Amino acid sequence: MRLNYRKLGEYIELVSCLNADLHYGEGDVRGVSNNKKIIQTKANNKGRDFNNFYVVAPNEFIYNSRTSRMGEKVGLGYNDTEKTFITSFNNTVFRVINESMLPMYLFMWFNRPEFDRYVRFHSWGSSTEIFSWNEMCNTLLPVPSVEKQREIVGEYKVVQNRLKLNNQLIQKLEETAQAIYKQWFVDFEFPDENGKPYKSNGGAMVYNEELDKEIPEKWEVALLDSVCKKIYGYPFDSNLFTDESANNIPLIRIRDILNGFSEVFTSEVVDSKYILENGDLLIGMDGTFHMSIWYSGKAYLNQRVVRFKPISKNLSNLQVQYSIRQQILDYENNIQGTTVAHLSDKHIKEISFIIGDKRVQELTTSIYSKLTESFLLLKQENQKLSELKELLLSKLATVEN
C-alpha cells in the first residue's frame, strides 16, 4: 500500500435512516447526477409511498451503485447544504465517521476523473453493473493530516466560490438580455426617438399578415436562412477521437452545446469552415434540440450540429437565439421520429422571426455586443478556473502531510 494511502472503509459508514417517521414528501426527493451533484429527481413520484426512502442529512453522501446506467461516470453527490432530503432506496447513503477525514476532502477525491475510471473498472454484473458498497470501502486514497486537508479544501473552495459567483453574474446577464428582447421585440416597448416606450406612447403599428398581428411600422419578418449563414457539422471519424488535448482540437457534439466545452478531441484535419468561433449560435439536430451561443474558442463542428452566423452587422446572435427559441422548442415537442426526433434542413428553412428597423437593430446590436463580450470574459475565466480546479484534484494523488 502506498504511503499514507488508507482504505475508505475505515472512515465511512452506511446510513439507513428511513423516512417513515419524518414525513418528508415529494418536493424533498433528490437524485444524483454523474457530474457529482445532488439534483431534483427526474423520476415520476406521483402517488408513491415515501416511507421507505432514505433520509439524507447535511454532510452525507448519496451514490448510485448501478454504474452501467451513468455512462463512464458514477452518479454521486454530497449534501453540503443545511437542508435534509430523501432519496430512493435504489441509492446508497453514507457519511464520514472518522474525524481524521473531512467530508469535503473526500468529495474532492470523488470528483477526480480517475475515481470514475476506478469505479467503472471495479463494477461487476451481467446485465447491470454494480459498484458495491464493499468495493467502495476497499477504495484506497491518501489521507493527510486534517490541517493539510483543510488547506487543500480551502484552495478548492476559493476556486469553487469564484465559479459560483461568475455563474450568478452570467445568469443575471442572461436575464437582462432576455428582458430586453421581450420588452423590445414582444411588447414593442423599445425606446422611441424621444426615449419613451414605443407602443404605449402611440408608436405607429401596422398589421402583419404572416404573424397575424400588428407590428411596429417599418419592421419586417425575415426567414432565418435569409439573414444568417448556416453550416452543418462534419462527419468526423470516430476512430480518431481522443481525450488528449495536446495538438488536437475539441470536437463539439450535441451533448457539448449546453456544457460549453468538450472532453473529446480529434486529430483529424478538415476544412476551416467547420471551425467554431466565439459568438457562433449552435443548435443540436437530434433528440433534444439544444441551443446555445459558443464562447469557448477554437473547436470543430461535428455532424448533426448546425452553426449560424448573422449576415448583417446589425443582427446579433443573441437576438437570433431569443427570436427562434420557441420555434425550436415547438419542433422538439412535435417532430415525430422512429427513435428520436430529427431537425431537418426543411424545418430550419421554415423558421422566421421579426426584425426591427435600422435604428432599433443598431441599438439592439450595440447592447447585445456588450453583453456578448461580458459573457465571453466570464466564460473564459470560468474555463481557466475549471482547469485550475482539475489541477488541484489531480494533485490529491500525491498529497503529503
Side-chain angles (χ1 to χ4, degrees):
M1 187 181 299
R2 284 171 285 183
L3 183 66
N4 83 331
Y5 269 62
R6 311 290 297 182
K7 284 190 176 183
L8 183 54
E10 300 175 27
Y11 300 88
I12 60 175
E13 71 175 4
L14 279 171
V15 176
S16 302
C17 178
L18 296 178
N19 186 40
D21 298 321
L22 297 176
H23 309 299
Y24 287 99
E26 183 179 351
D28 303 302
V29 180
R30 297 292 185 272
V32 287
S33 67
N34 60 10
N35 60 354
K36 309 299 180 288
K37 292 182 179 179
I38 293 179
I39 58 173
Q40 194 81 36
T41 181
K42 297 178 181 178
N44 182 3
N45 288 310
K46 290 286 186 183
R48 291 194 67 177
D49 180 3
F50 300 112
N51 285 338
N52 60 350
F53 275 42
Y54 290 130
V55 175
V56 187
N59 293 317
E60 292 183 346
F61 295 81
I62 311 172
Y63 89 93
N64 189 325
S65 61
R66 293 165 296 177
T67 56
S68 54
R69 298 186 181 183
M70 303 297 287
E72 293 303 310
K73 298 183 178 183
V74 59
L76 186 148
Y78 169 53
N79 186 5
D80 59 354
T81 74
E82 296 180 357
K83 298 180 180 179
T84 297
F85 306 114
I86 56 174
T87 192
S88 168
F89 51 82
N90 292 318
N91 294 325
T92 301
V93 182
F94 64 96
R95 62 189 168 207
V96 173
I97 56 170
N98 192 318
E99 293 182 355
S100 61
M101 177 179 286
L102 300 178
M104 189 62 197
Y105 172 81
L106 176 58
F107 187 52
M108 286 179 64
W109 183 264
F110 289 149
N111 273 276
R112 301 175 73 246
E114 293 82 359
F115 176 73
D116 285 314
R117 289 194 285 270
Y118 173 88
V119 169
R120 292 296 291 124
F121 184 78
H122 290 273
S123 296
W124 311 98
S126 53
S127 59
T128 301
E129 293 185 349
I130 300 292
F131 183 65
S132 69
W133 175 248
N134 187 57
E135 291 288 357
M136 176 69 87
C137 291
N138 284 330
T139 300
L140 295 173
L141 73 163
V143 185
S145 67
V146 173
E147 290 74 19
K148 185 64 177 179
Q149 291 179 49
R150 287 199 182 98
E151 177 186 328
I152 295 168
V153 169
E155 293 176 347
Y156 188 77
K157 283 187 173 181
V158 168
V159 177
Q160 285 285 77
N161 289 340
R162 183 63 194 185
L163 279 167
K164 183 179 179 180
L165 176 60
N166 282 359
N167 288 331
Q168 289 172 344
L169 292 172
I170 289 170
Q171 180 64 31
K172 291 293 183 184
L173 289 173
E174 178 74 20
E175 291 170 358
T176 299
Q178 292 189 52
I180 291 171
Y181 179 80
K182 181 180 183 301
Q183 185 176 9
W184 291 17
F185 292 89
V186 177
D187 301 332
F188 306 128
E189 296 289 19
F190 53 89
D192 63 16
E193 288 83 353
N194 300 314
K196 295 182 178 181
Y198 181 85
K199 186 176 180 181
S200 60
N201 281 273
M205 305 288 288
V206 295
Y207 177 75
N208 181 275
E209 188 173 332
E210 186 174 350
L211 297 178
D212 190 25
K213 68 177 184 180
E214 288 190 333
I215 64 174
E217 193 175 45
K218 298 182 181 179
W219 284 34
E220 61 180 358
V221 176
L223 289 170
L224 177 63
D225 249 16
S226 70
V227 295
C228 289
K229 295 178 182 177
K230 74 172 184 287
I231 187 167
Y232 297 107
Y234 183 82
F236 285 88
D237 184 352
S238 60
N239 292 320
L240 298 177
F241 289 5
T242 176
D243 59 0
E244 296 294 329
S245 60
N247 302 318
N248 296 307
I249 296 178
L251 188 65
I252 308 308
R253 305 154 297 169
I254 292 175
R255 72 192 73 175
D256 304 314
I257 293 174
L258 295 185
N259 290 337
F261 65 90
S262 177
E263 295 178 341
V264 172
F265 300 80
T266 181
S267 59
E268 193 170 356
V269 178
V270 301
D271 194 299
S272 60
K273 69 181 181 180
Y274 296 108
I275 294 177
L276 294 176
E277 296 177 344
N278 291 324
D280 288 347
L281 175 62
L282 306 181
I283 302 178
M285 301 177 66
D286 287 333
T288 302
F289 303 153
H290 294 319
M291 178 168 58
S292 184
I293 306 290
W294 181 252
Y295 293 107
S296 297
K298 184 178 179 181
Y300 273 142
L301 185 71
N302 197 33
Q303 62 184 343
R304 303 308 297 163
V305 180
V306 59
R307 178 193 69 192
F308 295 94
K309 287 178 178 290
I311 296 171
S312 170
K313 65 179 182 179
N314 287 331
L315 181 62
S316 162
N317 255 336
L318 274 179
Q319 181 183 341
V320 176
Q321 180 184 19
Y322 300 140
S323 298
I324 70 175
R325 176 177 287 171
Q326 187 57 51
Q327 294 172 77
I328 295 296
L329 183 60
D330 289 342
Y331 279 140
E332 182 182 310
N333 292 332
N334 296 313
I335 292 175
Q336 300 297 319
T338 53
T339 53
V340 295
H342 300 284
L343 186 68
S344 69
D345 184 67
K346 177 179 179 295
H347 294 126
I348 290 172
K349 287 180 177 178
E350 293 173 348
I351 297 174
S352 64
F353 60 93
I354 194 169
I355 292 181
D357 60 30
K358 185 174 183 291
R359 184 185 68 85
V360 171
Q361 284 302 134
E362 287 178 349
L363 187 56
T364 303
T365 303
S366 174
I367 293 172
Y368 278 171
S369 294
K370 291 182 177 65
L371 288 170
T372 297
E373 186 177 342
S374 296
F375 280 129
L376 178 58
L377 291 173
L378 287 168
K379 288 179 179 284
Q380 286 179 335
E381 183 178 348
N382 276 2
Q383 191 168 358
K384 293 185 181 300
L385 288 168
S386 296
E387 291 170 1
L388 177 56
K389 185 173 74 170
E390 293 303 314
L391 179 62
L392 291 173
L393 293 175
S394 68
K395 288 182 175 179
L396 289 182
T398 57
V399 67
E400 297 180 359
N401 285 333

